[in-house]
Amino acid sequence: MEGASVSVFVTVQKIYYPLLCIMGIPANLFTFYMICFRKCGMSNTAIVYLSCLAIVDTFYLVWVILLDLTLTFWTVQPFWHSYPWCGILGFLQYGSLYSSSWIVVVFTIERYLVLRSTASKQNFSQTWDTKMFCTAIVLLSHLVSVPMGWINIVTPVNITVDGENMTLPRCRYRNHTYSTVIVWIATFLSGGIPIVLVIIFNYLIGYHLCRASNLFTKEERRIMYGRNTRGTLKRTILILGTVSVAFVVLSLPRFVTYCILRTRYNDESFNRNDYSIPINIAGDVANMLQNLNSTTNFLLYCMVSRRFRQELVHAITCKAKARELSTLLNHTTMKVFSVVNHKASLSSSQVTVVLTSLKQTK
């Protein structure tokens, strides 16, 4: 790649990552509000999974995009090029990455089990159990990511800044066997295994739905799933399918390019910042796609969920609150008038009793 093209590609990344933070963090927080506090037509378990996903994606944007990549492109010496931040940041980044990936996996498996078994539907319909599952996923993800804090080390490096040679501490990869093993395990835990599981269980969900549509009539399926939950189930599966497809499409390129970099180009002398090598460009583009995965859920919900779009419009225009206030005022007014009319009816129906022919008794 020529020098001008390299400069353009670096400039694109310098703009792309701050823009991703500016748009992604508020979008995820607003998505959390919409899912938790608005009636978007989702099941109770879907609300828990998707709200948890919005939170961990927000942390991923903070740790990876804001504090790591944005500072890398815009500052000479980010704060995490020092001890102990060099290890802490890696731990936090992989903890949020594991959490995001495995929440999608567990949500997909849970939807398949609900479709397949009535007993599973009763067991997994408990909101408290779902909250415990999500909490366990986040805690285990951060526990597994503890070794990621050991793969980097702070070392002095000679660099050129504005034509002047300087020696600055740098958080560099520790080139040891155990570091390579940990990175390979992390690659499969965050990308390879979740991608395979999501593909398999989404295929099983599709197969089950097609089989049910062929075996049972529309009325029988309505009786099986229930009249009230049928629409909610369809909306939840549609949202899950969209999130799963986006997860696979945006995460798979990074997994492939990372495997290539760790096999064919796993050499200490290899310059990862040399954009004249095509694999470096491919690797950075794949990273950009995977990082985009943490910001797209809000747009996906808007695309596939009519109820989500309606509640979004109501939230922006405050129509829902106005409607609730109007309903409350009307209800209160009706109660007041009903009490007044009741009192009036009582007063108008009063009876005067006159005693006559009284006799004195001894």
Side-chain angles (χ1 to χ4, degrees):
M1 181 179 279
E2 298 179 356
S5 300
V6 170
S7 178
V8 169
F9 186 63
V10 172
T11 303
V12 167
Q13 294 184 79
K14 291 178 67 175
I15 298 173
Y16 174 77
Y17 288 119
L19 187 63
L20 213 60
C21 291
I22 293 172
M23 298 180 63
I25 294 176
N28 283 335
L29 295 177
F30 189 67
T31 301
F32 176 79
Y33 163 75
M34 289 292 297
I35 293 174
C36 292
F37 301 102
R38 291 281 179 166
K39 297 179 181 179
C40 298
M42 302 178 186
S43 64
N44 292 331
T45 56
I47 290 174
V48 176
Y49 281 118
L50 296 180
S51 60
C52 186
L53 181 64
I55 293 299
V56 296
D57 281 345
T58 302
F59 279 111
Y60 179 84
L61 289 173
V62 172
W63 306 139
V64 178
I65 312 301
L66 180 61
L67 298 182
D68 188 351
L69 295 172
T70 301
L71 293 182
T72 297
F73 283 101
W74 284 96
T75 61
V76 177
Q77 185 70 10
F79 72 93
W80 44 265
H81 281 304
S82 61
Y83 183 83
W85 293 108
C86 178
I88 293 176
L89 192 61
F91 159 74
L92 295 174
Q93 288 176 349
Y94 275 89
S96 58
L97 178 60
Y98 289 153
S99 300
S100 179
S101 301
W102 284 96
I103 285 174
V104 176
V105 172
V106 174
F107 187 25
T108 306
I109 296 174
E110 185 258 357
R111 286 295 94 184
Y112 169 71
L113 295 176
V114 166
L115 282 173
R116 184 174 177 84
S117 172
T118 305
S120 298
K121 181 178 180 180
Q122 296 175 352
N123 293 331
F124 288 108
S125 61
Q126 302 297 326
T127 306
W128 174 254
D129 294 339
T130 307
K131 291 179 180 179
M132 294 301 296
F133 287 152
C134 290
T135 303
I137 291 171
V138 174
L139 292 178
L140 287 176
S141 297
H142 283 81
L143 181 62
V144 174
S145 65
V146 169
M148 301 307 298
W150 306 334
I151 65 173
N152 296 320
I153 187 173
V154 178
T155 57
V157 177
N158 294 323
I159 61 174
T160 302
V161 180
D162 297 330
E164 182 180 354
N165 292 327
M166 302 177 63
T167 301
L168 295 175
R170 283 295 194 221
C171 183
R172 303 294 293 269
Y173 175 71
R174 194 192 302 264
N175 194 15
H176 293 293
T177 303
Y178 74 88
S179 298
T180 304
V181 172
I182 290 174
V183 168
W184 272 110
I185 294 174
T187 302
F188 278 92
L189 285 178
S190 62
I193 298 175
I195 289 173
V196 172
L197 291 176
V198 167
I199 292 174
I200 291 174
F201 280 96
N202 271 284
Y203 168 78
L204 293 175
I205 289 174
Y207 174 76
H208 180 83
L209 292 176
C210 292
R211 185 181 179 186
S213 63
N214 294 329
L215 291 178
F216 303 101
T217 64
K218 184 177 181 180
E219 186 63 27
E220 288 172 339
R221 292 196 301 271
R222 186 181 292 113
I223 294 173
M224 289 169 57
Y225 296 124
R227 295 179 180 270
N228 296 329
T229 60
R230 182 170 172 267
T232 302
L233 183 63
K234 289 179 63 177
R235 286 190 293 267
T236 301
I237 292 176
L238 179 60
I239 292 175
L240 171 62
T242 307
V243 171
S244 300
V245 170
F247 169 75
V248 173
V249 171
L250 296 177
S251 300
L252 187 59
R254 195 255 182 185
F255 175 73
V256 173
T257 55
Y258 199 84
C259 290
I260 294 174
L261 285 169
R262 283 295 169 186
T263 51
R264 294 190 59 184
Y265 300 95
N266 191 21
D267 194 311
E268 189 175 358
S269 61
F270 178 73
N271 185 6
R272 182 66 178 82
N273 296 320
D274 184 4
Y275 290 116
S276 63
I277 304 175
I279 188 61
N280 285 338
I281 302 173
D284 281 4
V285 171
N287 286 334
M288 293 169 71
L289 290 176
Q290 185 182 34
N291 294 329
L292 182 64
N293 182 51
S294 298
T295 64
T296 56
N297 288 338
F298 175 76
L299 296 178
L300 296 178
Y301 301 154
C302 291
M303 289 173 56
V304 302
S305 176
R306 182 173 58 88
R307 289 285 300 274
F308 189 88
R309 292 193 300 270
Q310 290 176 347
E311 288 298 322
L312 175 62
V313 173
H314 292 161
I316 294 175
T317 59
C318 300
K319 287 184 178 179
K321 292 296 183 182
R323 186 168 61 251
E324 292 175 3
L325 180 60
S326 176
T327 304
L328 178 62
L329 290 176
N330 290 335
H331 182 65
T332 305
T333 304
M334 291 177 63
K335 289 178 65 177
V336 170
F337 277 107
S338 64
V339 171
V340 172
N341 292 335
H342 181 65
K343 290 183 176 179
S345 63
L346 289 176
S347 61
S348 62
S349 61
Q350 289 179 351
V351 178
T352 303
V353 179
V354 179
L355 300 178
T356 59
S357 301
L358 297 176
K359 295 181 179 180
Q360 185 177 4
T361 58
K362 293 184 180 181

